[in-house]
Amino acid sequence: MRLSRGAVLARAKAAALDGVRRLNCWGSHLTDISICRDLPNVEVISFSVNGISDLEPLNQCQNLSELYLRKNNIGSLNELFYLKNLPRLRVLWLSENPCCGSDPHRYRMTVLRNLPSLQKLDNQAVTEEELSQALVDGEEITAPPVRRSVENGCPESTEPSAAESTTETERELLSFSLEETNKIREQLGMKPVPRDKFSSFSPRETDCSRKKRNNVLNAILLLTKELDAEGLEIVQQTVGRRLQAFRKKELQEE
């Protein structure tokens, strides 16, 4: 069912779409929320218990601060791509959707990595520790989901698939030069990588665990280029805590 202009105005008790501030359409059998593209001033939306699968229309709701989407038909966490540029979004309820999967930790970490400004997710307060952990355990979403045409089964989106994006990103990360890597490590107050050790960053590395570690390290180094001073301070504090934990463990083992 498509959400109509008349239904929005009636539910919100507003005279015009730009006057809608709060919209409650809980349990309304909705599948199409295209009308949200015309709600620039809406602040709170409740779409829980519907059949919504496409979040693209919400990308236009720049004043949205609370979004309730529990029990819908959202199949991919890539739908979060459309929420990443909502500057005021602080509350999101997304549980009981297919995209949540069978791993609640991975799900929560991925949501928080892509929406770090959230203060509450699925009715649970977000902590600073979770936001730090999300940088490690969460998956970065860089492209919208690929949709397929109902008529001919062809992709509607020209964006690369998640697998293709991941392969491309890994290729880019592994191509870091020694100078680039050490420059970023210096900015973070870390020791430079010796030239004779830099070969461990090569894509020819066959050891699975070391390759995974190096990929994670290179990803972190690449992402630091996008951070401002405040963000770098958070990274530095997190790294400091981790180093202290490792040093404490080494002392205990000795």
Side-chain angles (χ1 to χ4, degrees), residues 206-224:
T206 57
D207 182 79
C208 184
S209 61
R210 178 171 292 187
K211 186 175 182 180
K212 180 180 178 182
R213 182 203 64 191
N214 291 339
N215 285 347
V216 171
L217 177 59
N218 281 336
I220 293 171
L221 296 178
L222 181 62
L223 289 171
T224 55

Side-chain angles (χ1 to χ4, degrees), residues 46-100:
S46 178
F47 281 154
S48 293
V49 194
N50 282 288
I52 298 165
S53 60
D54 180 6
L55 301 185
E56 184 274 331
L58 296 172
N59 190 46
Q60 306 298 319
C61 303
Q62 292 295 297
N63 286 301
L64 190 62
S65 61
E66 298 183 25
L67 178 60
Y68 302 91
L69 291 166
R70 185 174 62 90
K71 285 190 176 181
N72 272 278
N73 194 33
I74 301 167
S76 170
L77 285 176
N78 279 36
E79 293 290 338
L80 294 174
F81 178 82
Y82 300 118
L83 307 182
K84 293 180 71 170
N85 294 321
L86 301 181
R88 300 185 180 181
L89 188 62
R90 296 294 180 268
V91 177
L92 175 65
W93 200 331
L94 191 62
S95 63
E96 297 178 82
N97 273 281
C99 65
C100 299

Side-chain angles (χ1 to χ4, degrees), residues 2-33:
R2 183 174 185 174
L3 181 60
S4 67
R5 179 178 184 277
V8 170
L9 296 178
R11 296 263 185 163
K13 298 179 180 179
L17 293 179
D18 60 5
V20 174
R21 297 291 188 277
R22 304 176 71 90
L23 180 60
N24 185 352
C25 294
W26 186 95
S28 300
H29 307 288
L30 298 176
T31 56
D32 186 339
I33 56 171

Side-chain angles (χ1 to χ4, degrees), residues 98-241:
C99 65
C100 299
S102 58
D103 187 342
H105 176 75
R106 174 187 171 277
Y107 153 72
R108 189 172 177 87
M109 292 295 98
T110 296
V111 174
L112 294 181
R113 175 164 183 172
N114 291 278
L115 303 174
S117 295
L118 287 181
Q119 296 175 354
K120 185 178 287 189
L121 172 60
D122 296 338
N123 205 34
Q124 182 179 339
V126 175
T127 66
E128 289 295 330
E129 289 75 14
E130 282 185 307
L131 292 174
S132 297
Q133 192 63 37
L135 294 172
V136 178
D137 295 348
E139 295 183 16
E140 179 73 12
I141 295 170
T142 60
V146 176
R147 305 195 192 286
R148 295 189 176 276
S149 169
V150 176
E151 294 182 1
N152 55 27
C154 295
E156 292 180 356
S157 172
T158 57
E159 296 290 341
S161 68
E164 289 171 343
S165 297
T166 301
T167 302
E168 207 169 289
T169 302
E170 286 181 355
R171 229 180 263 129
E172 180 183 359
L173 296 175
L174 289 168
S175 68
F176 259 120
S177 69
L178 176 62
E179 291 73 20
E180 288 175 315
T181 300
N182 283 339
K183 184 176 180 181
I184 298 173
R185 290 174 69 91
E186 182 182 354
Q187 292 173 351
L188 292 173
M190 301 169 67
K191 292 181 179 179
V193 178
R195 186 168 293 278
D196 61 339
K197 299 288 185 180
F198 192 70
S199 59
S200 64
F201 288 82
S202 169
R204 293 190 297 271
E205 178 64 64
T206 57
D207 182 79
C208 184
S209 61
R210 178 171 292 187
K211 186 175 182 180
K212 180 180 178 182
R213 182 203 64 191
N214 291 339
N215 285 347
V216 171
L217 177 59
N218 281 336
I220 293 171
L221 296 178
L222 181 62
L223 289 171
T224 55
K225 293 182 178 181
E226 307 298 324
L227 296 176
D228 56 13
E230 183 180 358
L232 286 171
E233 286 180 5
I234 294 174
V235 172
Q236 190 174 36
Q237 291 170 6
T238 304
V239 171
R241 288 195 294 268

